Amino acid sequence: MTMHRLTDGRFSLGLGRGIAPMFKAYGLPKVTTAQLEDFVGILRRLFRGETVFAHDGPAGRYPLLSLGPDYAGEIPLTFTAFGPNSLALGGRAFDAVVLHTFFSDETTARCIRAVKQAAERAGRDPARVRVWSCFATVGDHLPEPLRLKKTVGRMATYLQAYGDLMVETNRWDPAPLARFRADPLVSRFPGAIDAKATTEQLEQIAKLIPAEWLAPAATGSPEACVAKIENQLALGCDGVILHGATPTELEPIVSAYRKTR
């Protein structure tokens, strides 16, 4: 609510399921769809200034919940979604859905349809549920070692954390993932690859990742990056998050994009 007031309503609260291996490591049960949906319902009521009495549902039991009537406001809720259950939940319960990085065009279009159709089935206006592409944006004006870190390194880290989900969602051949995991450099790597790998290690790891897996990203000249970004909009995305780059790194791309609008 503080962020909502400070930003004149431009804040959105983002939620996600989290990463299954981390829940397992901490000995916590995975978050369920029912828990998330129940939690969203509680938040909606609190944000409207309501007092919630004797709530007993998947999100927990709460005798009394309230922000107080002086803190009412419509705060949008955003959900990061991968699988079909999450996409459907985003469509029926959230204001916006963020798709993961390195989704193929086919996957992006399919996920957008899933969100919009779920919204429609829930009696909502599909156009009011925004779907954002979280799109890796790595122009060739950046030094090659940095580009490797932001593309190969990032993808490798995703594959370390939830490779099966990435492969399943994109409907990729799982064989390259098995080879990636079996490689001695990867299997013995101490931590996140994008955080700790050297340029030489990234060059070696790049040989393990199919080019088509890295293709869904804005790469090349600023103009080429803009064309890739505009293609995300053409696929049906309502917006594109230029992911993995600083404002300074994005400046040539934003300047080129401005010329096309």
Side-chain angles (χ1 to χ4, degrees):
M1 186 59 69
T2 300
M3 289 298 295
H4 174 70
R5 293 284 181 89
L6 285 172
T7 61
D8 292 327
R10 298 193 304 277
F11 173 73
S12 178
L13 176 61
L15 301 176
R17 288 185 186 275
I19 299 173
M22 292 187 69
F23 279 90
K24 185 177 180 180
Y26 290 131
L28 297 172
K30 289 189 289 186
V31 176
T32 68
T33 299
Q35 286 174 318
L36 284 164
E37 194 158 7
D38 192 33
F39 181 58
V40 167
I42 294 171
L43 289 180
R44 298 280 195 203
R45 294 180 64 188
L46 294 175
F47 291 161
R48 288 195 296 264
E50 295 182 26
T51 297
V52 179
F53 292 102
H55 181 86
D56 187 358
R61 300 179 66 182
Y62 305 101
L64 176 67
L65 294 173
S66 176
L67 293 175
D70 295 334
Y71 295 97
E74 292 293 332
I75 299 178
L77 295 167
T78 298
F79 192 47
T80 300
F82 251 110
N85 287 341
S86 294
L87 293 165
L89 173 61
R92 68 176 179 265
F94 285 80
D95 301 290
V97 173
V98 175
L99 304 181
H100 199 276
T101 318
F102 295 115
F103 272 9
S104 69
D105 284 0
E106 187 278 331
T107 299
T108 298
R110 172 165 35 88
C111 289
I112 293 168
R113 287 196 302 272
V115 172
K116 303 290 187 176
Q117 288 170 359
E120 193 167 18
R121 287 194 298 270
R124 307 177 73 200
D125 179 0
R128 293 184 64 84
V129 182
R130 294 177 61 80
V131 179
W132 290 85
S133 166
C134 188
F135 203 49
T137 306
V138 190
D140 64 7
H141 57 283
L142 301 178
E144 174 63 16
L146 186 57
R147 297 205 304 271
L148 273 173
K149 182 183 182 72
K150 291 174 179 289
T151 53
V152 172
R154 181 163 289 119
M155 171 61 87
T157 302
Y158 293 154
L159 297 178
Q160 282 180 299
Y162 37 83
D164 292 311
L165 187 55
M166 287 287 292
V167 168
E168 180 182 356
T169 303
N170 277 299
R171 298 177 179 175
W172 289 333
D173 178 2
L177 176 61
R179 290 193 293 271
F180 170 85
R181 287 173 166 165
D183 186 85
L185 173 58
V186 173
S187 62
R188 300 170 187 166
F189 198 83
I193 289 173
D194 64 345
K196 296 188 174 182
T198 65
T199 299
E200 292 73 20
Q201 288 172 324
L202 288 173
E203 289 172 345
Q204 182 177 336
I205 292 171
K207 300 173 184 176
L208 303 171
I209 301 175
E212 67 176 283
W213 292 16
L214 294 167
T219 57
S221 67
E223 291 73 21
C225 289
V226 169
K228 285 286 197 78
I229 292 164
E230 290 182 329
N231 182 62
Q232 294 292 290
L233 299 172
L235 290 171
C237 292
D238 298 296
V240 181
I241 300 167
L242 306 186
H243 177 57
T246 68
T248 300
E249 292 166 349
L250 289 172
E251 196 281 328
I253 297 169
V254 172
S255 294
Y257 181 79
R258 187 176 290 117
K259 297 174 183 177
T260 71
R261 304 305 292 173

